């Protein structure tokens, strides 16, 4: 199973400001210290191996959209954030190479940053496409139709030519999608959100859990989450805020911190954690700093096997 990240920001898409790009170029020139590069490849090698990630790359600006690829069968996608547009185009390329034209979506919830990509999902406009939208919310269809009403979008939902089906999921039940077994859990968020556990035929499991608030002073009430995360090979977790933000001015906003994500994964004996749903006001340097702080916190609080801590960015692919 491979997990691909097409959108990793929370709340709204962000684009790099001209000043931020300028600062990255200036920092790279200073770090190069007068060296000359004969080719673009040589310059790229310098950026890749001698610059920090935030100095040579970007964590991206698209909102939540994550693909689980088992290498065959239908496409499995978590959420429909703005990263879905690029995923849609790439999936059509793979369909041309033999993949079936079938897409299964699992929606964490119906807030706009998690569904805003669907009106730009090209396969939905193509006859012969089959799209199945799974959600714990019975009003998922109403939400998707509403964002394509004339007052909000020029193309109505009924203009889409794909065969579109909605299925309402129930917690504590297993669902089979091709070679993958899926279950869900209700989470703490406005209008509720749902986390998903995906297990492939080899027994490998991945958790997608975003837009859920876990409070540092109420961790004794998270037994259901720990059980859901138990022994997962990979946990994609909402770490939108630093701990300081999550317990002060942004308490009860429906999101969690990097610290509680580590604590939950340690207790659940998960193997890898991916920091996800990045705060849109955080710069690349801010996100990288949080990543390094999280790695250090994990080392200091580790009791048994190490938990590998990754940080999601648009384009990241992780094999499990």
């Amino acid at each position: 199973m491979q997990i691909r990240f097409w959108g990793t920001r929370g709340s709204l898409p962000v684009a790099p400001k001209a000043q931020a790009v300028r600062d990255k170029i200036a920092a790279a020139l200073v770090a190069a210290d007068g060296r000359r590069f004969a080719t673009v490849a040589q310059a790229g090698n310098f950026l890749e191996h001698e610059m920090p990630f935030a100095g040579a790359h970007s964590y991206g600006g698209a909102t939540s959209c994550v693909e689980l690829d088992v290498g065959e069968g239908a496409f499995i996608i978590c959420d429909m954030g703005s990263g879905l547009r690029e995923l849609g185009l790439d999936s059509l390329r793979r369909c041309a190479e033999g993949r079936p034209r079938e897409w299964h979506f699992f929606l964490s919830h119906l807030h706009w940053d998690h569904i805003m990509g669907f009106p730009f999902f090209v396969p939905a406009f193509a006859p012969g496409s089959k799209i199945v939208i799974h959600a714990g919310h019975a009003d998922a269809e109403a939400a998707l139709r509403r964002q394509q009403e004339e007052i909000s979008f020029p193309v109505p939902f009924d203009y889409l030519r794909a065969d579109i089906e909605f299925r309402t999921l129930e917690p504590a039940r297993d669902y089979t999608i091709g070679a993958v077994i899926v279950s869900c859990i209700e989470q703490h968020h406005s209008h509720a959100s749902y986390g998903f556990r995906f297990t492939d035929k080899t027994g490998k499991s991945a958790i997608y859990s975003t837009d859920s608030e876990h409070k540092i002073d109420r961790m004794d009430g998270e037994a259901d989450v720990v059980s859901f995360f138990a022994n997962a090979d990979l946990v994609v977790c909402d770490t939108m805020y630093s701990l300081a933000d999550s317990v002060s001015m942004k308490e009860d906003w429906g999101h969690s911190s990097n610290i509680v994500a580590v604590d939950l994964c340690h207790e659940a004996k998960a193997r890898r954690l991916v920091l996800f749903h990045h705060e849109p006001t955080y710069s690349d340097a801010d996100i990288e700093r949080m990543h390094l702080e999280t790695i250090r916190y994990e080392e200091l609080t580790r009791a048994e096997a190490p938990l590998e801590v990754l940080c999601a960015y648009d384009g990241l692919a992780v094999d499990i």
Side-chain angles (χ1 to χ4, degrees):
M1 186 191 308
Q2 185 177 76
I3 315 300
R4 299 193 186 109
F5 294 84
W6 298 90
T8 63
R9 290 276 180 171
S11 298
L12 79 165
V14 294
K17 296 180 180 179
Q19 184 65 44
V21 175
R22 180 184 181 278
D23 290 346
K24 287 177 186 283
I25 294 172
L29 290 173
V30 171
D33 195 23
R35 277 178 284 181
R36 297 177 62 85
F37 305 104
T39 65
V40 170
Q42 289 179 2
N45 187 66
F46 162 75
L47 292 173
E48 190 67 30
H49 297 288
E50 299 189 44
M51 291 292 294
F53 183 91
H57 301 274
S58 172
Y59 289 93
T63 61
S64 302
C65 186
V66 176
E67 178 187 3
L68 292 90
D69 189 0
V70 295
E72 60 183 3
F75 297 96
I76 298 176
I77 302 162
C78 293
D79 282 335
M80 302 173 166
S82 61
L84 181 59
R85 179 183 180 277
E86 186 176 353
L87 188 161
L89 295 173
D90 187 81
S91 65
L92 286 177
R93 175 189 60 77
R94 283 179 275 165
C95 288
E97 297 172 354
R99 286 287 289 270
R101 298 173 63 88
E102 183 173 341
W103 291 261
H104 286 258
F105 287 94
F106 291 85
L107 301 185
S108 64
H109 64 309
L110 307 175
H111 287 168
W112 190 43
D113 53 321
H114 291 257
I115 64 172
M116 66 193 309
F118 191 65
F120 303 93
F121 184 57
V122 174
F125 292 83
S129 297
K130 180 175 178 57
I131 295 173
V132 183
I133 299 169
H134 307 261
H137 304 80
D139 52 355
E141 182 173 0
L144 291 184
R145 285 183 173 276
R146 184 174 59 231
Q147 77 169 342
Q148 288 188 234
E149 290 177 357
E150 186 179 10
I151 194 171
S152 300
F153 196 76
V155 182
F157 189 91
D158 286 334
Y159 183 81
L160 303 177
R161 294 295 176 259
D163 174 13
I164 301 176
E165 176 185 350
F166 288 84
R167 297 179 184 172
T168 303
L169 305 180
E170 299 176 10
R173 284 190 57 186
D174 288 342
Y175 299 87
T176 301
I177 307 298
V180 177
I181 298 173
V182 188
S183 59
C184 67
I185 185 173
E186 187 172 349
Q187 304 178 137
H188 308 292
H189 195 72
S190 173
H191 197 62
S193 71
Y194 291 82
F196 297 97
R197 184 180 182 111
F198 300 88
T199 304
D200 68 13
K201 59 187 176 183
T202 71
K204 297 289 186 180
S205 59
I207 303 290
Y208 179 79
S209 174
T210 189
D211 292 68
S212 181
E213 185 165 8
H214 309 287
K215 297 187 177 184
I216 191 71
D217 58 347
R218 299 182 189 174
M219 295 300 283
D220 56 348
E222 299 287 354
D224 58 337
V225 177
V226 171
S227 177
F228 194 72
F229 286 11
N231 300 306
D233 295 283
L234 185 77
V235 176
V236 179
C237 197
D238 180 341
T239 57
M240 190 168 185
Y241 304 135
S242 67
L243 180 62
D245 282 350
S246 70
V247 300
S248 57
M249 57 185 173
K250 294 180 179 178
E251 187 175 11
D252 297 322
W253 284 28
H255 299 284
S256 292
S257 75
N258 54 330
I259 299 304
V260 298
V262 170
D263 290 347
L264 287 169
C265 286
H266 271 166
E267 191 171 353
K269 295 180 171 55
R271 294 170 181 81
R272 280 190 282 184
L273 164 67
V274 184
L275 310 183
F276 183 71
H277 205 268
H278 307 311
E279 160 65 43
T281 65
Y282 287 0
S283 68
D284 288 328
D286 292 332
I287 297 171
E288 183 172 58
R289 188 181 308 111
M290 178 184 282
H291 183 201
L292 296 175
E293 290 171 351
T294 309
I295 291 172
R296 182 56 177 157
Y297 177 77
E298 189 281 326
E299 293 171 344
L300 292 172
T301 58
R302 181 190 305 159
E304 299 181 30
L307 169 71
E308 183 181 0
V309 180
L310 308 176
C311 192
Y313 59 85
D314 296 1
L316 173 65
V318 182
D319 292 313
I320 62 172

